Amino acid sequence: MATQRSSIVCWSRGSDGAALTPILSWQDRRNAPLITSLRAHAADIHQRTGLFLSPHYGASKIRWCLDHNARVSAAAAQHTLAAGPLIGFLSQQLLEQHPLGVDPANAGRTLLWNLHTRTWDDQLAAWFGVPLSILPTVMPSYSEFGTLLTGARRIPLRVLQGDQPAALFADGWPQLDHIYVNIGTGAFIQRPCDQLPPELPRHLRSLVLLGLGRDIYTAEATVNGAAAAVDYLFTQHRRAPDTLLLARCLENTPAPPLFLNGIGGLAAPWWLPEFASHFIGENTDLEAQLAGVLESVLFLITVNIEHLATLAPRPTHIVLSGGWSHIDELARRLAALTGLSVGCQTQAEATARGTAFLAAAAPGTWLASGTRVVFAPHEIPSLRERYRQWRAAMRRYTALDY
């Protein structure tokens, strides 16, 4: 079972396991003031967790629920409260044994789990004001979590995983010289490593698989506004989303306007949650602006790949998956910008395949989904020039040079 890693729920312990809050998604930034108050500890938090101090992660959401939800605070007082990643709530609800467990990939997105000790961290809990007693037990990613009852059948649940980490395993064990880019609501860039990677000052580090005889870490970057930015643009134009327009807009727009994309908060490598998104120039045509939004996602992915490429071994290839991997012009331009070949997977749904590979205990006979098309590196001078202009604009509006 795989879920979005940064979604949080508070619920009651025990066999009833009633939810006490709605699901708070990764896009929920309601407790940003707490994050601001902890800025003095930002470097220490980054070193302990591999993450940046951000309201996108779970700790500030849990603290907000403790402060503002009467059912949550009452359950905490009665020692019946559980809180943590969505996958912990779902497994307790669905499994016969009603366990209170979670895997490292999901625990690691709370800002409460120490990447080095592989435990919940007392100091992090104290800073955020979250009692460790309400958090699930962290177990290896591949474990005997419990039993699913489906009529007369009893099915063992052996894998808990995050959605993006699971996508790494769609075609079996990830290749250490590949960079994996999965584009959905956001874009997620992952560089797999067989040991904890050296600290990158502006990027994330995670343990995404513990068990099956091999631990897998990642160096990661996130782009918050991919499909979310497209939805925002259609809303601004008071138009229903149009997938056909999305697929052709890049081919029909030779010189898209530059879009400085902070939808959902400007993430790696800037980490400016309140950055104001805007276009450069006066072009108000929907199709042209849509092409500008898609190029902004490409530019954000590219600048992060340039950082992740400094890790050994030198990357040779990009694996593109997710809902946008069917847009060939997007993949072609990514190859041109990064100087790496880009392969689009035959099946865009990488998370489900990766979860299946892990649930099957990483079989050596796993059948890869295959690559639909590969784009070789090549030069597009006009695209390279727009990327240069975009980088200059980002320096101007952020006062940061990444």
Side-chain angles (χ1 to χ4, degrees):
M1 179 166 59
T3 63
Q4 206 287 317
R5 287 184 285 175
S6 298
S7 296
I8 292 295
V9 184
C10 298
W11 70 97
S12 296
R13 293 175 180 268
S15 58
D16 63 334
L20 302 175
T21 66
I23 299 168
L24 281 65
S25 83
W26 68 271
Q27 293 175 303
D28 188 318
R29 299 186 292 161
R30 67 181 70 189
N31 209 1
L34 174 60
I35 298 300
T36 301
S37 73
L38 293 171
R39 289 297 180 195
H41 305 297
D44 197 354
I45 289 171
H46 180 58
Q47 193 279 330
R48 289 170 187 255
T49 66
L51 307 179
F52 285 91
L53 186 58
S54 168
H56 288 110
Y57 303 125
S60 65
K61 298 177 176 62
I62 296 173
R63 184 63 252 174
W64 191 95
C65 292
L66 287 163
D67 290 337
H68 298 282
N69 187 303
R71 298 175 69 196
V72 171
S73 57
Q78 297 164 12
H79 305 290
T80 60
L81 177 64
L86 171 61
I87 204 164
F89 169 71
L90 292 177
S91 61
Q92 185 179 30
Q93 290 285 305
L94 296 173
L95 297 178
E96 179 184 18
Q97 296 82 1
H98 305 293
L100 190 61
V102 71
D103 62 289
N106 282 282
R109 276 302 197 264
T110 61
L111 283 175
L112 298 168
W113 194 74
N114 190 306
L115 182 61
H116 306 276
T117 64
R118 299 183 177 184
T119 59
W120 298 118
D121 188 290
D122 290 328
Q123 182 60 74
L124 294 169
W127 282 331
F128 284 99
V130 174
L132 291 182
S133 60
I134 70 175
L135 300 173
T137 301
V138 181
M139 304 170 64
S141 315
Y142 185 89
S143 299
E144 297 294 337
F145 289 101
T147 307
L148 291 163
L149 300 179
T150 58
R153 298 188 65 185
R154 300 167 63 86
I155 302 173
L157 180 67
R158 295 191 173 122
V159 169
L160 296 183
Q161 185 56 279
D163 53 351
Q164 298 302 328
L168 287 172
F169 300 91
D171 287 335
W173 289 108
Q175 302 298 306
L176 302 185
D177 63 348
H178 287 15
I179 292 178
Y180 294 77
V181 179
N182 188 263
I183 309 180
T185 304
F188 299 87
I189 306 105
Q190 300 180 91
R191 182 78 195 271
C193 308
D194 56 7
Q195 57 186 337
L196 181 64
E199 187 167 350
L200 295 171
R202 307 303 302 170
H203 291 82
L204 312 179
R205 297 185 296 170
S206 298
L207 174 61
V208 297
L209 181 72
L210 176 62
L212 290 174
R214 182 180 178 188
D215 299 345
I216 298 293
Y217 292 86
T218 54
E220 300 180 36
T222 60
V223 175
N224 291 333
V230 168
D231 291 344
Y232 163 82
L233 184 61
F234 277 116
T235 299
Q236 292 295 107
H237 282 264
R238 299 181 179 179
R239 286 274 302 271
D242 185 339
T243 55
L244 293 178
L245 185 60
L246 180 66
R248 69 172 185 260
C249 66
L250 284 172
E251 296 178 17
N252 292 348
T253 311
L258 297 179
F259 181 58
L260 306 190
N261 183 352
I263 300 299
L266 181 59
W270 291 273
W271 302 104
L272 297 173
E274 305 304 325
F275 181 80
S277 304
H278 61 282
F279 285 95
I280 303 291
E282 302 297 326
N283 192 329
T284 60
D285 176 72
L286 172 59
E287 187 166 356
Q289 287 191 341
L290 195 58
V293 168
L294 264 65
E295 278 203 347
S296 77
V297 176
L298 282 180
F299 294 161
L300 288 164
I301 291 171
T302 298
V303 73
N304 282 294
I305 285 177
E306 288 171 358
H307 284 264
L308 296 179
T310 61
L311 296 175
R314 182 182 180 279
T316 61
H317 183 68
I318 297 170
V319 178
L320 187 62
S321 64
W324 285 13
S325 62
H326 70 284
I327 305 176
D328 286 353
E329 185 60 21
L330 193 81
R332 187 177 79 88
R333 296 187 188 200
L334 183 59
L337 284 171
T338 61
L340 300 173
S341 62
V342 176
C344 301
Q345 291 185 309
T346 302
Q347 297 182 15
E349 179 43 66
T351 295
R353 282 188 54 85
T355 304
F357 171 77
L358 297 173
T365 55
W366 185 252
L367 181 63
S369 65
T371 301
R372 180 177 60 81
V373 62
V374 175
F375 294 90
H378 57 288
E379 280 297 322
I380 306 177
S382 59
L383 177 65
R384 178 67 59 183
E385 174 59 20
R386 285 196 300 279
Y387 179 55
R388 186 196 65 77
Q389 293 174 1
W390 177 87
R391 289 290 296 268
M394 291 297 291
R395 284 194 296 271
R396 185 166 66 253
Y397 283 96
T398 66
L400 297 169
D401 186 7
Y402 297 127

